[in-house]
Amino acid sequence: MSNLLHQVQTEDLLKFGLIPEFVGRLPVIATLDELIEEDLVRILREPKNALTRQYQKLFEMEGVHLKFTEGALVAIAREPCGGSRALAACERFWKTPCSM
């Protein structure tokens, strides 16, 4: 199924029933693949404004050094949050008190 979606052409959208006026406003057709655990871990780690970096800065302002282990990132990525944007909504990880 995924392979078929990557081959969609403008004519296919018209045959599917979309009106030409709408299809004409879509200059590029792009398909998206489902994010896997590795993708979500990369999203948590790599972007300049990654959630993990934001929390590290927030804790740093309070004089606390916060470090995320690989296992912690994998656990966050495995949490059924609903995708990359919803990772921020996994407040259970961000706001749970930890024992020191």
Side-chain angles (χ1 to χ4, degrees):
M1 179 72 168
S2 174
N3 192 24
L4 289 175
L5 290 176
H6 288 284
Q7 299 175 15
V8 170
Q9 300 292 318
T10 305
E11 297 80 27
D12 299 324
L13 298 175
L14 294 171
K15 287 179 187 174
F16 183 71
L18 295 178
I19 60 173
E21 292 82 3
F22 180 71
V23 174
R25 295 187 182 273
L26 302 172
V28 176
I29 299 172
T31 58
L32 303 174
D33 293 323
E34 186 175 337
L35 292 173
I36 60 174
E37 182 180 297
E38 294 165 4
D39 298 328
L40 295 172
V41 170
R42 285 184 52 221
I43 290 168
L44 286 169
R45 182 188 300 127
E46 293 179 12
K48 187 174 154 183
N49 64 339
L51 284 173
T52 51
R53 292 180 193 209
Q54 291 178 31
Y55 275 93
Q56 286 171 332
K57 288 288 184 190
L58 184 66
F59 276 69
E60 199 174 281
M61 290 175 9
E62 299 294 329
V64 177
H65 176 73
L66 178 64
K67 181 179 178 184
F68 291 92
T69 64
E70 185 68 23
L73 294 175
V74 169
I76 294 168
R78 284 184 183 159
E79 183 68 17
C81 297
S84 61
R85 288 186 87 25
L87 285 172
C90 289
E91 293 183 32
R92 171 169 94 98
F93 286 104
W94 309 119
K95 300 192 177 174
T96 302
C98 61
S99 59
M100 296 197 151

